[in-house]
Amino acid sequence: MPTFTATDGVTIAYRVWERESDLPLVLLHHGFIASGETNWVMPGIVAALTGAGRRVVTIDARGHGDSGKPHDPARYGEARMAEDVSTLVDLLGAPSFDLAGYSMGAVVSLLTAVRDRRVRRLVVGGVGAGVVELGGVDTRVIGGPALQHALNTDDPASITDPSAAGFRAFVDAVGGDRAALAAQAAAVHDKPIDLAAVTAPTLVLAGEDDPLAARPEVLAGAVPGARLRTVPGDHLGAVRTPAFAAELVGFLNAP
């Protein structure tokens, strides 16, 4: 995978699917623990977009996938990841781009859209009222000591919180760097986001059974003119449904 060096020196990996298109580049940002491959390629979303004629780029966030994995929480946070998105767009020379993010990546995408006017259309998936009420992913569902323990312990059997156990299983399945991921978990965005400043047409896309995207109508109501669509599935399953890809592609390709 090609890489670039972020403004603080961390190596960031990305992948581009080239297409001739009159529409802007589509940039996809994955969720916590995932990568461009697991969040967007494996579920078929990249294939759906390229099949619809779009040029696509996925980014592996710092601490994830093939990107650099420092263990210092000061190098993490969704605001820092949003800077990496803009740096990549600078590198690619895109005058405008469509941006889609899932879960952690949705928070990154919202922060990017607030300050980067090159965002033409925006899709935020896997998040709901927590963004409005907490400033990021819903840590009332999973976060704090339970997630930190799940990431740091060498004994998975000691994890008693079911949601935390699910995240630890995901980390182990993808071979994630637990110390790097714990650093991101310690730096998770928890400050108000100026959602009223988002000017790009926005789609909020949530799984019907996703506890991390509870009350998505609250988020949609806080972003000017945002549309809300729900699809079947929970947090890990919704992004894999044909309906998710269809809603995303339909919104980004609409006249």
Side-chain angles (χ1 to χ4, degrees):
M1 293 176 69
T3 62
F4 67 93
T5 302
T7 56
D8 65 346
V10 176
T11 299
I12 306 296
Y14 66 99
R15 184 177 174 190
V16 180
W17 288 260
E18 294 288 358
R19 290 292 186 278
E20 291 292 334
S21 177
D22 292 331
L23 292 173
L25 170 78
V26 179
L27 194 152
L28 304 174
H29 198 295
H30 61 80
F32 184 57
I33 302 173
S35 65
E37 177 72 19
T38 58
N39 205 145
W40 303 114
V41 178
M42 292 174 63
I45 295 169
V46 169
L49 283 164
T50 57
R54 300 303 296 270
R55 181 183 182 224
V56 178
V57 60
T58 59
I59 186 170
D60 282 358
R62 52 184 58 215
H64 298 72
D66 289 327
S67 288
K69 298 176 178 63
H71 292 171
D72 180 0
R75 309 295 287 277
Y76 287 94
E78 288 89 336
R80 174 64 261 190
M81 293 174 179
E83 291 183 42
D84 296 339
V85 169
S86 293
T87 299
L88 175 55
V89 175
D90 290 344
L91 174 69
L92 296 173
S96 66
F97 65 107
D98 289 347
L99 179 59
Y102 195 76
S103 192
M104 176 189 79
V107 179
V108 174
S109 297
L110 284 163
L111 289 166
T112 302
V114 165
R115 64 182 186 82
D116 194 329
R117 296 306 178 201
R118 291 175 295 182
V119 179
R120 186 195 72 125
R121 291 193 179 184
L122 176 67
V123 179
V124 289
V127 289
V131 175
V132 179
E133 296 165 356
L134 302 176
V137 294
D138 201 333
T139 52
R140 295 168 297 198
V141 177
I142 178 63
L147 181 57
Q148 292 287 336
H149 172 72
L151 292 170
N152 288 317
T153 183
D154 291 326
D155 179 17
S158 69
I159 304 169
T160 57
D161 182 281
S163 296
F167 275 86
R168 172 56 185 268
F170 187 17
V171 174
D172 291 343
V174 301
D177 184 320
R178 290 191 285 114
L181 294 168
Q184 165 58 25
V188 67
H189 198 275
D190 61 358
K191 299 176 179 63
I193 300 173
D194 187 8
L195 299 172
V198 175
T199 58
T202 301
L203 172 66
V204 176
L205 190 51
E208 295 167 355
D209 301 312
D210 183 357
L212 285 165
R215 294 178 290 124
E217 66 277 4
V218 175
L219 175 56
V223 177
R227 305 179 193 178
L228 171 63
R229 296 289 185 272
T230 57
V231 299
D234 59 13
H235 194 67
L236 295 180
V239 73
R240 297 183 175 93
T241 63
F244 188 97
E247 292 285 0
L248 186 149
V249 174
F251 176 76
L252 295 183
N253 273 18

